[in-house]
Amino acid sequence: MTLRFYKLNIIIACLFLSSCANNKKEFGTMIIHGGTIYTVDSIQPTVEAVVTKKDKILFAGSFEEAKSYQNEQTELINLEGKTMTPGLIEGHGHFMGLGYNELELDLMHTNSYQDIVDAVAAKVKTSKPGEWIIGSGWHQSKWDSMPANTVKGFQTHHLLSEVSPDNPVFLFHASGHAGFANAKAMEIAGLKSLRKEGIQSYNTEGGEVIVDQFGMPTGIFNEHAISMIYKYIPEETPETNIQAFHLAMEACHKNGITSFHDAGISKDIIALYDDMKSAGKMNVRMYAMLRGGEELLEEWFEKGPRIDPDHRFTIRSIKLSCDGALGSRGAWLLEPYTDRQGHYGHETLPMDIVKEVAIQGLQNNFQVCSHAIGDRANREILDQYELAFKELNMLDADHRFRIEHAQHLHPDDIPRFAALHVIPAMQTIHLSSDRPWAIDRLGEKRIKEGAYMWQALLQSGVPIVNGTDVPVEPLNPIASFYASVSRKTLKGTPEGGYEPEQKMTRMQALKSYTLDAAYGAFEENIKGSIRSGKLADFTIYNQDLMTVEENQILNTEIAMTIFNGEVVYKK
């Protein structure tokens, strides 16, 4: 064979391979372009265009190159100057609570006890005698003023009972860690004066029934004491569960949320989610934490984690509730509350159970996520995690155990998160809502040295998973982003923000809602950033929240939500 003939064969072969490659060229389902696209990918932080094919990202880069993936079936979405990021991830919320908040009495925006009384009085007019009235969202520390008669910092039931004599009423505190009952509800629960028996308090381990000077219940039930009323409330029906599910899904799409870490679900809710997924209605990526009951955990330890190949409903984590909330003075502290001497909050779960579940979680490949707000609770949980890691020789394992909230830490415990590879899942919006009154609970020293320590934790080498704890706070991720970077209330105070050295940068804040949140669920390889091969979930905003003036961030709106390669919301 001559050299000339050999070269000719090489050329023909190359042309043939090139032709085959062109025939196999992939075309996109959708091309998104025309605005700033933040990828949260260190290789190329911004791109001009993104090409999707069905539920996956096919290409991210220049618009010119993106057009090569276009054919007659490709849909073009022009952002028209808007901004796009990876789909936002709610890193700690209560999905069904979000839905039920839409169905029940919403007290989140009440500014006084009288507002609550008026809202219940209006509900009584449309309710049948004997019908329970349920609501949530009130927070006495956020009111403009307190009523004249209070006990241990809380209102008493008398005004509420006057407007609802024939309807049992139970109103959950915004934190979810306390409740407020009227006389009718307490009558149904069989609660009577303690004074006759000479008893000074109800026997409620891990909780408290607040009583007045005469031993009469005031209507406030803290932590585990909530169950004294709650067990008499009629259970939700399958119909209302489905209704709440759809309302929660709609709220997620309107808020640009494409994934949701559901912090504690029961066997019944697992069945509901399975039904919704089978019916093709699970249009958010659900990362669920099993509620830490012994029977449910035994069942799942035997079965093992369920990692959904469709990435719609994964179960591989456990939620433990280990103390209360700061607002209800249930957070478990190392030193007494500044505004209630001698009171340390509540240990709502024995610490030996935390260690036991941590060991079982490690042995059965389950992540453990423990609720801790007070510095004592955070320290105790870190201690139990560490004991479990050492006992199983798994200090360096990729367990990704989490502490949910990690709101108030002793300075000595801040570096322990990184040392133990424990992830803090923190809801930055809590600073905007709580910081003005939290200083009354903890005092200035504890606030400045250990509360809402975002930058200190990030600099220690751990990611932060962001979120809202909805329905404790509204689902709105823009408010959380604003709190992350400003450390101000939503009214823009104080100037410069609270403890400004702990602010996040805007990129840190965005990562906490995308890639770092995905990491907190072992899902950083499939979502959380815009890169070829990842899931086609995106959030689109009416303005560039990464560059707009700080005082304009809260004007940012969700313009569009794309889930699984399809537009599920458009403003």
Side-chain angles (χ1 to χ4, degrees):
M1 182 185 292
T2 66
L3 181 60
R4 187 175 180 182
F5 186 74
Y6 176 77
K7 287 181 176 177
L8 181 62
N9 281 339
I10 293 285
I11 292 168
I12 291 169
C14 288
L15 289 171
F16 176 77
L17 289 172
S18 176
S19 173
C20 289
N22 286 335
N23 287 338
K24 292 181 179 178
K25 172 74 176 181
E26 288 192 277
F27 294 103
T29 308
M30 181 187 292
I31 297 176
I32 308 165
H33 69 100
T36 304
I37 300 174
Y38 293 99
T39 64
V40 195
D41 185 336
S42 58
I43 295 173
Q44 47 177 3
T46 61
V47 294
E48 292 180 339
V50 173
V51 183
T52 68
K53 184 174 184 181
K54 297 181 179 178
D55 63 337
K56 298 289 197 310
I57 298 169
L58 186 59
F59 168 81
S62 72
F63 181 47
E64 200 60 39
E65 194 171 350
K67 287 190 290 186
S68 69
Y69 293 90
Q70 181 181 359
N71 65 10
E72 59 273 11
Q73 279 83 44
T74 305
E75 179 185 4
L76 264 69
I77 293 183
N78 190 336
L79 296 175
E80 298 177 341
K82 299 180 182 71
T83 298
M84 187 170 91
T85 69
L88 297 179
I89 300 170
E90 169 56 59
H92 178 109
H94 305 276
F95 191 77
M96 294 302 290
L98 167 61
Y100 269 102
N101 203 48
E102 301 283 326
L103 291 174
E104 297 169 348
L105 206 55
D106 183 1
L107 304 172
M108 192 172 290
H109 302 292
T110 52
N111 295 312
S112 67
Y113 181 21
Q114 189 61 50
D115 283 354
I116 289 179
V117 172
D118 292 344
V120 170
K123 187 70 173 175
V124 166
K125 292 177 181 177
T126 60
S127 302
K128 299 174 183 177
E131 186 177 348
W132 279 81
I133 294 174
I134 308 299
S136 62
W138 65 272
H139 197 308
Q140 80 288 357
S141 293
K142 299 180 184 180
W143 292 344
D144 296 335
S145 61
M146 287 294 290
N149 297 319
T150 62
V151 177
K152 294 183 179 178
F154 288 99
Q155 71 280 8
T156 62
H157 72 87
H158 302 97
L159 288 176
L160 178 68
S161 299
E162 285 177 14
V163 300
S164 53
D166 301 318
N167 294 91
V169 178
F170 197 63
L171 310 173
F172 288 93
H173 191 267
S175 65
H177 288 261
F180 184 35
N182 72 343
K184 189 68 175 177
M186 291 188 284
E187 177 189 322
I188 290 170
L191 301 178
K192 298 177 181 179
S193 170
L194 303 174
R195 198 176 178 200
K196 298 175 185 175
E197 309 295 332
I199 301 170
Q200 298 302 311
S201 64
Y202 287 90
N203 182 21
T204 53
E205 188 176 349
E208 179 184 23
V209 178
I210 294 183
V211 298
D212 63 19
Q213 59 183 324
F214 304 111
M216 297 291 287
T218 63
I220 297 294
F221 296 79
N222 235 331
E223 303 304 337
H224 287 181
I226 291 173
S227 64
M228 300 175 76
I229 302 291
Y230 188 77
K231 64 185 177 183
Y232 293 97
I233 299 173
E235 292 187 2
E236 296 90 355
T237 66
E239 291 76 21
T240 55
N241 273 340
I242 291 171
Q243 190 179 358
F245 177 91
H246 288 302
L247 287 169
M249 190 74 62
E250 184 180 339
C252 284
H253 293 163
K254 285 182 177 179
N255 284 279
I257 303 296
T258 58
S259 293
F260 198 104
H261 295 187
D262 200 347
I265 64 171
S266 63
K267 191 169 187 174
D268 290 345
I269 299 304
I270 292 171
L272 171 67
Y273 290 176
D274 280 336
D275 288 345
M276 293 297 101
K277 182 178 182 292
S278 297
K281 295 176 180 177
M282 181 62 84
N283 293 320
V284 68
R285 304 195 191 282
M286 188 68 69
Y287 184 77
M289 306 175 196
L290 298 168
R291 190 177 293 163
E294 185 176 349
E295 185 178 335
L296 185 63
L297 294 190
E298 282 184 3
E299 175 190 339
W300 279 88
F301 285 149
E302 187 175 334
K303 291 194 295 191
R306 185 174 77 186
I307 300 171
D308 185 2
D310 296 331
H311 314 298
R312 300 288 182 114
F313 180 26
T314 288
I315 300 174
R316 69 173 300 172
S317 63
I318 297 159
K319 166 76 180 301
L320 301 177
S321 294
C322 302
D323 76 338
L326 202 60
S328 57
R329 297 179 185 84
W332 192 21
L333 304 183
L334 290 165
E335 300 295 335
Y337 278 81
T338 302
D339 58 357
R340 187 178 168 189
Q341 285 302 309
H343 182 67
Y344 293 81
H346 302 286
E347 175 192 10
T348 57
L349 186 71
M351 288 299 107
D352 58 339
I353 292 180
V354 176
K355 182 189 173 186
E356 180 184 339
V357 173
I359 288 172
Q360 290 178 304
L362 291 165
Q363 291 172 330
N364 294 282
N365 299 312
F366 277 91
Q367 176 191 43
V368 178
C369 308
S370 297
H371 164 116
I373 289 180
D375 55 358
R376 175 77 183 272
N378 277 279
R379 173 171 290 182
E380 293 279 353
I381 290 166
L382 288 170
D383 287 347
Q384 302 313 311
Y385 283 178
E386 185 172 10
L387 288 170
F389 299 155
K390 286 180 176 178
E391 188 166 318
L392 298 179
N393 195 26
M394 295 181 71
L395 272 171
D396 294 320
D398 188 22
H399 51 73
R400 303 194 198 182
F401 276 25
R402 291 168 39 163
I403 291 185
E404 307 301 305
H405 311 305
Q407 195 167 326
H408 171 226
L409 309 172
H410 189 282
D412 293 347
D413 293 320
I414 292 171
R416 296 182 67 198
F417 283 81
L420 296 172
H421 311 294
V422 172
I423 301 167
M426 307 176 77
Q427 298 72 53
T428 55
I429 187 59
H430 286 336
L431 176 129
S432 286
S433 296
D434 299 358
R435 175 57 180 81
W437 54 261
I439 194 167
D440 297 333
R441 302 283 192 274
L442 300 174
E444 185 176 5
K445 186 175 188 295
R446 286 189 289 187
I447 281 280
K448 290 186 178 298
E449 291 182 355
Y452 319 103
M453 302 299 287
W454 310 328
Q455 197 57 241
L457 285 162
L458 289 167
Q459 291 303 317
S460 75
V462 292
I464 287 176
V465 174
N466 212 329
T468 62
D469 201 10
V470 65
V472 174
E473 302 278 359
L475 185 62
N476 181 8
I478 304 303
S480 264
F481 182 88
Y482 174 77
S484 302
V485 302
S486 74
R487 289 183 71 96
K488 295 178 181 178
T489 69
L490 299 187
K491 294 179 180 178
T493 60
E495 186 68 31
Y498 291 108
E499 294 76 54
E501 69 278 1
Q502 294 299 328
K503 292 178 182 178
M504 291 188 192
T505 67
R506 296 199 193 194
M507 185 49 68
Q508 286 172 337
L510 181 58
K511 275 191 73 181
S512 72
Y513 250 100
T514 53
L515 192 57
D516 286 349
Y519 177 84
F522 298 88
E523 294 176 330
E524 73 276 13
N525 292 325
I526 60 169
K527 64 184 181 183
S529 63
I530 297 174
R531 177 185 283 192
S532 176
K534 287 195 170 186
L535 292 164
D537 298 344
F538 312 110
T539 304
I540 295 147
Y541 316 81
N542 68 331
Q543 61 179 0
D544 191 337
L545 78 172
M546 302 296 283
T547 61
V548 70
E549 292 292 327
E550 184 183 281
N551 62 7
Q552 295 299 311
I553 291 175
L554 289 173
N555 295 330
T556 306
E557 296 178 346
I558 304 301
M560 186 184 296
T561 304
I562 296 174
F563 172 78
N564 217 48
E566 296 182 359
V567 176
V568 292
Y569 170 76
K570 188 174 182 180
K571 186 173 175 62

